[in-house]
Amino acid sequence: MKVGIIGGGQLGQMLAISAKSKGYSVICLDPTPDSPCSKVADEQIVAPFDDFTKIKELCEKSDVVTYEFENIPHQIIETLGSEYNIPQGHRPLYYSQHRVREKLAAAECGLKTAPFYPVSSKKELIKALNNLGYPSLLKTCSFGYDGKGQVKISSDKDLTEAFELVENTECILEGFVEFDSEISVIAVRNSSNDVAMLPIPRNKHINNILHMSVLPNDELASVNKLASSMVKTFIQKMEFVGILTVELFVSGEDIYFNEMAPRPHNSGHYSIEGCESSQFDLALDAIMNKKITNQSLKQPTVMINILGQHMEGLKDFKCDESFVHLYGKKEIKHNRKMGHITFINKTQKDVENIINKYWEFK
Ligand code: AMP
């Protein structure tokens, strides 16, 4: 069995590690030679994500194809999906590639979203701002990540930057949610309509980049239960196959859909040590229509991301019951995700004390 992975970053790498542990061969496609995934895969095709011929070559060489990146043109997957085995198909990409499409789909499946307006001109933005007021968030409809392609409009002073964004790109204006916490729900579904859910972490971001995922998240137990059942309904109604991550805001008892990604997620890395089957194991089992089961947490688990600026401190790092994962990226850059550490059997406070010894987080 050969698994083809479109995308060769750390998510592809961890998918490949899981695939290898199941005895499969792996081929990946990524524009960067010597990608993190290629260190584990049997072969890498070096090509951009819009190269139809090369993606077709990957499909030809694979028994089953998946993706670890949501910005592969959905049209390519739609065309190749009729000829090759790509169980997730193009639909999860079609929705997740556009913030308006995904929010409308979520709302249709019963999930609450922040109020929003599609805006493509200065005039439309002013009209939407009149309805939503300050603060609001202007985001590009596509290609935004880790807070990139966003302007928080808190006063008239922010309008120049906002006008510049909306005049160049199709955008969405969202009402600002004063949330208490951010959670992410990871679900997998196979083509027999079995759905399995992972335990829900509480996520802490620094500068819009995920810093820490903490489990268990007992203080939000009732919210988690509700969020889990909402996302289960969502993946079933949408008839998505494979893995889906939904990022949610929690404000009191209210849960708001923020965005989704049809791929493994940084906030699910804890599951490698934290659960019997990781998000990567489940993602593969789901596309192969194997049995998938709800996961529970084996022990308290905290995951922290290692960014470029933390690599120096890592040299001295020593801690029992911790697992360091490095992705093997050649270029160390500020705020670039270089790896992560999973701590088991420790409280968030313990982990904060440990990491403060080695790193300064801002
Ligand atoms: P996103 O790229 O949509 O995931 O946004 C990045 C981060 O911005 C989120 O993780 C939130 O912390 C924040 N954010 C995004 N949308 C909203 C919103 N409508 N209200 C408040 N905060 C938001």
Side-chain angles (χ1 to χ4, degrees):
M1 169 68 73
K2 189 178 265 190
V3 181
I5 306 174
I6 309 177
Q10 62 265 25
L11 301 175
Q13 184 186 62
M14 287 180 267
L15 262 176
I17 291 170
S18 170
K20 287 276 174 178
S21 77
K22 291 170 183 283
Y24 308 143
S25 310
V26 177
I27 174 168
C28 67
L29 180 144
D30 195 273
T32 311
D34 203 16
S35 68
C37 185
S38 74
K39 294 177 198 312
V40 185
D42 301 276
E43 189 185 341
Q44 174 179 354
I45 296 173
V46 179
F49 294 119
D50 58 357
D51 188 330
F52 182 89
T53 312
K54 289 291 180 183
I55 295 181
K56 187 171 179 191
E57 182 187 325
L58 177 97
C59 292
E60 250 154 31
K61 289 180 165 175
S62 309
D63 297 301
V64 61
V65 173
T66 185
Y67 34 79
E68 60 97 85
F69 176 63
E70 65 270 39
N71 285 320
I72 306 143
H74 59 86
Q75 299 88 342
I76 292 185
I77 302 301
E78 183 172 13
T79 306
L80 291 174
S82 56
E83 209 180 326
Y84 298 99
N85 185 19
I86 316 175
Q88 287 155 286
H90 71 286
R91 289 178 54 256
L93 297 175
Y94 171 80
Y95 286 102
S96 64
Q97 282 171 7
H98 199 282
R99 289 187 189 273
V100 175
R101 286 203 286 261
E102 68 183 357
K103 279 197 171 58
L104 288 174
E108 253 180 53
C109 295
L111 283 147
K112 192 188 283 186
T113 69
F116 68 91
Y117 293 91
V119 287
S120 295
S121 66
K122 211 166 136 175
K123 199 171 151 203
E124 284 176 4
L125 175 59
I126 293 168
K127 199 168 161 211
L129 271 171
N130 281 337
N131 291 327
L132 292 180
Y134 295 143
S136 296
L137 266 180
L138 182 70
K139 301 179 182 177
T140 56
C141 283
S142 303
F143 299 110
Y145 69 98
D146 288 346
K148 292 192 175 60
Q150 283 190 22
V151 180
K152 183 174 176 186
I153 312 176
S154 302
S155 71
D156 291 356
K157 276 195 269 170
D158 301 314
L159 288 177
T160 314
E161 199 187 341
F163 288 155
E164 203 177 308
L165 188 65
V166 79
E167 282 182 334
N168 286 303
T169 334
E170 191 188 4
C171 289
I172 178 173
L173 186 75
E174 294 181 17
F176 196 82
V177 180
E178 297 291 351
F179 55 79
D180 307 318
S181 52
E182 295 189 63
I183 58 172
S184 45
V185 181
I186 302 179
V188 287
R189 179 175 172 272
N190 64 20
S191 41
S192 306
N193 197 26
D194 302 321
V195 176
M197 309 298 297
L198 279 110
I200 301 179
R202 183 166 40 85
N203 299 324
K204 189 173 161 192
H205 294 79
I206 297 180
N207 298 327
N208 281 328
I209 301 170
L210 181 67
H211 163 55
M212 183 183 257
S213 299
V214 183
L215 299 104
N217 184 10
D218 290 339
E219 69 282 9
L220 289 176
S222 62
V223 164
N224 287 342
K225 211 170 153 202
L226 186 60
S228 192
S229 84
M230 287 165 118
V231 172
K232 184 173 178 181
T233 304
F234 181 56
I235 196 171
Q236 280 174 321
K237 284 200 170 167
M238 295 301 289
E239 297 183 359
F240 289 159
V241 167
I243 187 162
L244 181 77
T245 305
V246 178
E247 294 184 38
L248 302 159
F249 301 140
V250 179
S251 175
E253 293 293 299
D254 291 326
I255 300 170
Y256 294 85
F257 172 100
N258 177 34
E259 62 176 355
M260 67 183 211
R263 55 163 171 79
H265 195 259
N266 193 171
S267 63
H269 292 355
Y270 78 86
S271 60
I272 296 174
E273 288 85 12
C275 299
E276 207 55 60
S277 295
S278 73
Q279 60 167 345
F280 304 100
D281 302 331
L282 290 168
L284 291 166
D285 289 345
I287 57 167
M288 293 183 196
N289 201 23
K290 297 206 162 157
K291 187 168 178 254
I292 45 174
T293 46
N294 284 334
Q295 296 298 301
S296 50
L297 196 66
K298 288 200 282 188
Q299 68 274 307
T301 305
V302 179
M303 190 270 341
I304 66 147
N305 269 334
I306 303 168
L307 305 181
Q309 59 269 38
H310 308 137
M311 291 299 280
E312 194 57 35
L314 197 63
K315 290 183 186 138
D316 303 319
F317 175 76
K318 234 182 176 174
C319 177
D320 61 347
E321 298 191 296
S322 70
F323 301 84
V324 176
H325 299 250
L326 288 174
Y327 310 142
K329 293 183 186 175
K330 279 210 196 92
E331 213 188 327
I332 300 177
K333 282 199 235 164
H334 190 83
N335 281 348
R336 185 173 201 204
K337 290 175 186 169
M338 306 302 293
H340 71 269
I341 310 178
T342 308
F343 297 85
I344 58 167
N345 291 318
K346 290 186 177 58
T347 64
Q348 178 180 346
K349 196 90 219 114
D350 291 338
V351 172
E352 277 174 359
N353 287 337
I354 297 161
I355 64 176
N356 286 339
K357 268 207 293 199
Y358 295 93
W359 298 283
E360 193 182 337
F361 284 97
K362 284 191 211 139

